[in-house]
Amino acid sequence: MVDEQNNQNFLQYNSRLATLPLHAVSLQLNDLCYKISQAFKKQPDLPGVLLFDHVSFHSMISRRQFFEIMNLPYSKDLFSQREIKKLVKKINLTSPVYTSDTLISDAVKSSLQRPPEQLTEPIVIINDNGSHAVIDIHELLCAHAHIFSATVAKLQAEIIRSDFLREKLEQANREAEKLARLDGLTGIPNRRQMDEYLRSEWQRGMRNKTSLAIILMDIDFFKAFNDTYGHQAGDDVLARVATCLRQQIHRPADMVARYGGEEFLAILPETFIAGALTLAEKIRLAVSELMIPNKEGAFLSISCGVSCLNPGETNRPVDIIQLADKALYKAKHMGRNRVSSL
């Protein structure tokens, strides 16, 4: 931790990827799959394993990708004693590759343009000597945020004497604001952005006299899952569930955000209770179909509490959340893995 903090203190706006912590665990395609599992268990912070075909770089398999397929029924028996090349045929291993002298800011900008399901995936770099390494996306984003914070502080001290620096400061603030509105683990909007969007849609509902619905979702027995499989596996599950939830939301005005811990919340403008219940059931089934093993049940599941109000002068955004929370409690009390409303 001390070394990481010292490294961040030297980061500047023109810092390159080579200055970040690099992971260089590699295996051959003809190695057995269980060696990937051993590598991840040996290094809990290892984001991915490099795969080579003799001396040629082939691809990178991330921690999430590996355990996602290995947690499927019969996958461990099917792949553990087979060569890695058998496994990679089942996975779409596409990860961006950058040179080590790429600017951190350029890498972040490019990474955020990936499809939603790939936002939390690590990236691969090629060093000057031709070797490959892996960078964790969270380490990349933290470094980027540190760079912008340091840049903002410097720009604020010089802004009086330069209109150019003022423009750069505003740009840095916009970038930092964008990062501040995303949840670093799951890549979806965080609680801050959710609160702002709920207030905005509440005001719009009052003006247009339209209904507003929300779905409050909670992963069942998540604490037990963490205790059984470890916090890293818990983080991977949160990211997978977030991606699954986002894939069920199709209307531009709808939003799904991380509410806190293992809870998520969907905001559905101009939606009646029947439509919200239908979507909640669709989400519940989609999470069940991920087939993530859980000690407390056959597979990991979620419970959903649904509420709907017509925004007005006599109620507030907190009221619709409280109703959804009560509905969620009702779903939990009735046995979990279900959708409920009041």
Side-chain angles (χ1 to χ4, degrees):
M1 180 63 70
V2 174
D3 290 340
E4 182 177 336
Q5 290 175 345
N6 290 336
N7 184 55
Q8 285 192 348
N9 290 334
F10 291 100
L11 291 174
Q12 300 178 16
Y13 73 96
N14 59 351
S15 291
R16 315 282 170 165
L17 291 178
T19 61
L20 298 180
L22 306 180
H23 306 267
V25 175
S26 63
L27 292 170
Q28 292 288 326
L29 288 178
N30 57 6
D31 285 329
L32 298 182
C33 289
Y34 78 87
K35 289 189 176 181
I36 300 178
S37 180
Q38 287 182 335
F40 284 133
K41 289 179 180 178
K42 185 176 180 180
Q43 299 185 37
D45 60 342
L46 180 65
V49 173
L50 300 163
L51 303 178
F52 286 83
D53 187 3
H54 299 295
V55 296
S56 301
F57 173 72
H58 179 273
S59 57
M60 182 274 299
I61 183 167
S62 71
R63 178 183 291 273
R64 181 192 65 81
Q65 289 171 321
F66 178 74
F67 285 111
E68 182 173 303
I69 193 168
M70 294 304 286
N71 285 332
L72 294 176
Y74 310 112
S75 287
K76 289 183 180 179
D77 295 335
L78 183 62
F79 291 111
S80 291
Q81 296 302 319
R82 290 196 174 188
E83 294 180 343
I84 293 173
K85 59 186 175 184
K86 300 290 185 181
L87 176 65
V88 299
K89 291 181 179 180
K90 302 292 184 180
I91 312 176
N92 181 23
L93 296 180
T94 56
S95 57
V97 180
Y98 303 90
T99 58
S100 59
D101 64 347
T102 302
L103 290 173
I104 291 176
S105 57
D106 289 343
V108 169
K109 182 178 180 181
S110 175
S111 296
L112 291 178
Q113 292 175 350
R114 293 183 290 176
E117 63 273 14
Q118 297 180 13
L119 282 177
T120 59
E121 291 294 286
I123 63 173
V124 177
I125 72 165
I126 302 178
N127 294 307
D128 292 340
N129 61 3
S131 63
H132 292 70
V134 180
I135 295 179
D136 190 290
I137 192 65
H138 299 124
E139 292 172 340
L140 177 65
L141 291 175
C142 287
H144 188 233
H146 180 86
I147 290 172
F148 271 110
S149 297
T151 302
V152 168
K154 182 177 179 180
L155 291 177
Q156 286 176 331
E158 300 176 356
I159 196 169
I160 297 176
R161 64 180 179 83
S162 175
D163 290 338
F164 174 75
L165 289 177
R166 180 180 295 110
E167 182 180 346
K168 287 293 183 180
L169 173 62
E170 292 172 354
Q171 180 183 350
N173 282 332
R174 287 194 296 270
E175 292 289 343
E177 182 71 14
K178 181 179 178 180
L179 288 175
R181 293 171 180 271
L182 291 178
D183 178 62
L185 177 63
T186 62
I188 64 175
N190 58 17
R191 177 68 177 270
R192 173 184 173 186
Q193 186 174 355
M194 183 222 79
D195 287 338
E196 293 176 354
Y197 191 67
L198 179 59
R199 287 195 295 268
S200 173
E201 288 303 314
W202 189 268
Q203 292 298 322
R204 191 162 72 92
M206 289 179 63
R207 291 193 304 271
N208 299 338
K209 301 186 183 305
T210 54
S211 62
L212 178 68
I214 67 169
I215 306 171
L216 184 58
M217 298 156 278
D218 183 82
I219 300 177
D220 297 326
F221 302 112
F222 186 71
K223 183 180 183 302
F225 183 93
N226 262 345
D227 293 341
T228 302
Y229 300 103
H231 290 284
Q232 182 60 55
D235 288 348
D236 293 340
V237 162
L238 288 173
R240 289 182 62 190
V241 170
T243 298
C244 178
L245 300 183
R246 182 169 45 203
Q247 291 172 344
Q248 312 311 311
I249 302 295
H250 301 298
R251 298 192 311 175
D254 295 344
M255 171 194 281
V256 62
R258 188 177 181 190
Y259 189 65
E262 66 270 25
E263 289 187 319
F264 299 87
L265 188 142
I267 300 174
L268 312 173
E270 299 183 20
T271 303
F272 294 108
I273 188 67
L277 287 169
T278 299
L279 178 58
E281 179 61 17
K282 177 185 174 185
I283 289 172
R284 186 192 68 79
L285 290 174
V287 172
S288 295
E289 289 170 359
L290 293 177
M291 301 180 74
I292 302 172
N294 188 8
K295 181 180 179 182
E296 296 294 334
F299 297 106
L300 199 75
S301 62
I302 63 169
S303 297
C304 305
V306 181
S307 62
C308 180
L309 285 177
N310 291 318
E313 298 293 342
T314 59
N315 50 30
R316 301 170 298 164
V318 67
D319 295 328
I320 195 171
I321 292 180
Q322 289 177 346
L323 288 174
D325 189 58
K326 292 179 180 178
L328 176 60
Y329 178 81
K330 177 182 175 183
K332 294 283 189 180
H333 186 70
M334 293 173 63
R336 296 178 169 82
N337 191 22
R338 65 191 65 234
V339 174
S340 179
S341 64
L342 298 181

